[in-house]
Amino acid sequence: MPRRATIGVRVGDVTIGGGAPVSVQSMTTADTRDAAATAEQVNQLAAAGCEIVRLAVPDQEAAEALPEILAATSVPLVADIHFDYRLALMALEAGIHKLRINPGNIGSEARVAELARAANDRGVPIRVGVNAGSLPRRLVEAYGRTPRAMAEAALWHVGLLEKAGFESIVVSMKASDVPRTVEAYRVLAQRVHYPLHVGITEAGPPPGGLVKSAVGIGILLSEGIGDTIRVSLTGDPIAEVQAGREILSAVGLRSFGPTLVACPTCARSRADIEAIAEEVRAKIQHLDVPLVVAVMGCEVNGPGEAADADVGLACGRGCGLVFRRGQIVKRVDSAHMVDALMEAVYQEAAAKRVQPGSKEL
């Protein structure tokens, strides 16, 4: 899939833009002032596949906790700063890997320039974050809370940093609705060469938040727009990471291991497909080999409908057919069909691991 050309920006050991893989981000919900709890959540997110984690830094106590958090974690961390530029300076002094600011609410142009110099000296990038709900009044009066106003706000904020000689910039522009967010990114993508952080803000809890995020982020990624993503959900941030990875996999940009496909249930099903699919999903999620595993409910949908799957199971009345790339390899009774499927999965995974460029078992 062709992607928009951008400069590359380093965030710790992760590159955003410049042709690097689209990275997955999330944000902690723990109180940053509680260093131990925050570090634990950061490490949980990293274990789930999060590649960059953002922390809210609302006050001096939170900023003072950053060195301890940084010492106890290994994933790149972003300090989210509003209003007080001194907190951003403290975060830089602590060794933070990236800042997220809104230059319009940090203070005077001189303060923005001071912050830009400090970030530049340490090689730390800055994300300019624009939200539709907090646009400058002059832009709202001129354009309303529209995609154009969002893009103009981003360009103004970027201009403040560029005037200070700073260009290690990532930009985000988010609204809580899909059409406005998508159009704002389309507009800005034509006007800057900086990498873009994309997402739908305040998307809400699942399933609505998942749907809005998947649609909005998916549209942009399919158009080559977006260099890092965050799925903003109300709830456990690990769900954001899982959703982000699923979105990148669905649009074909990255593979994070096995993909499970399963037919929708209907009156033809001869087994509890939902329960079987969930059991299989749990058994394959630890694998890091790109496999397509299918769980099908009847002779109509499998193995023919799932012929592209590496390995699959077609459930019949009291039995199951295990197949590999559309060819039946084993018939087993229903009590043993998941075990038989997993045996085939492990065989296929082992075969893929010894291919050139693959990881060793």
Side-chain angles (χ1 to χ4, degrees), residues 215 253 347:
V215 171
L253 284 175
Q347 290 172 350

Side-chain angles (χ1 to χ4, degrees), residues 257-264 272-281 284 287 290-298 300-316 320-327 329-330 337-346 348:
T259 298
L260 177 65
V261 298
C263 64
D272 187 345
I273 300 304
E274 182 179 4
I276 294 171
E278 181 58 32
E279 181 181 357
V280 172
R281 185 199 65 78
I284 67 175
L287 297 173
L291 294 174
V292 178
V293 181
V295 175
M296 314 305 287
C298 69
V300 173
N301 285 332
E305 290 288 330
D308 290 337
D310 294 293
V311 183
L313 173 68
C315 301
L321 301 177
V322 177
F323 56 90
R324 296 175 74 169
R325 286 176 288 281
Q327 300 299 311
V329 296
K330 184 178 291 188
M337 59 188 183
V338 172
D339 289 339
L341 172 65
M342 291 308 302
E343 181 182 357
V345 166
Y346 293 134
E348 187 70 19

Side-chain angles (χ1 to χ4, degrees), residues 28-47 53 55 65-75 77:
T28 55
T29 56
D31 187 339
T32 309
R33 291 168 292 192
D34 186 338
T38 301
E40 180 180 4
Q41 189 175 45
V42 168
N43 290 329
Q44 290 172 346
L45 287 166
V53 179
L55 316 174
L66 291 177
E68 183 177 345
I69 297 168
L70 285 158
T73 58
S74 58
V75 67
L77 301 182

Side-chain angles (χ1 to χ4, degrees), residues 249 254-259 287-293 310 325 348-349 352-353 355 358-359:
S249 179
R254 295 186 66 179
S255 174
F256 297 97
T259 298
L287 297 173
D288 61 358
V289 179
L291 294 174
V292 178
V293 181
D310 294 293
R325 286 176 288 281
E348 187 70 19
K352 284 183 176 287
R353 283 180 182 272
Q355 294 176 0
S358 64
K359 297 180 181 179

Side-chain angles (χ1 to χ4, degrees), residues 94-227:
I96 204 73
H97 302 101
K98 181 183 173 188
L99 293 173
R100 188 273 191 183
I101 65 168
N102 180 332
N105 68 25
I106 285 293
S108 66
E109 191 171 312
R111 288 178 175 175
V112 173
E114 181 182 353
L115 182 56
R117 286 193 297 270
N120 196 52
D121 288 345
R122 292 169 173 80
V124 174
I126 294 174
R127 170 159 76 98
V128 169
V130 173
N131 281 355
S134 56
L135 296 172
R137 180 179 298 178
R138 62 180 178 82
L139 293 177
V140 174
E141 291 174 350
Y143 307 114
R145 297 190 185 279
T146 61
R148 180 174 179 182
M150 293 169 65
E152 292 294 338
L155 289 168
W156 172 56
H157 294 159
V158 166
L160 292 176
L161 293 174
E162 290 178 331
K163 188 174 180 180
F166 189 85
E167 295 189 345
S168 186
I169 300 169
V170 180
V171 186
S172 70
M173 300 177 302
K174 300 180 182 180
S176 59
D177 62 282
V178 172
R180 186 165 38 159
T181 301
V182 168
E183 187 56 32
Y185 277 107
R186 285 171 173 164
V187 172
L188 191 68
Q190 300 298 317
R191 301 182 64 179
V192 299
H193 64 292
Y194 298 115
L196 299 180
H197 168 129
V198 303
I200 306 298
T201 195
E202 300 157 1
L210 281 173
V211 172
K212 290 168 66 175
S213 296
V215 171
I217 295 172
I219 289 172
L220 290 168
L221 292 177
S222 69
E223 295 179 4
I225 298 171
D227 304 281

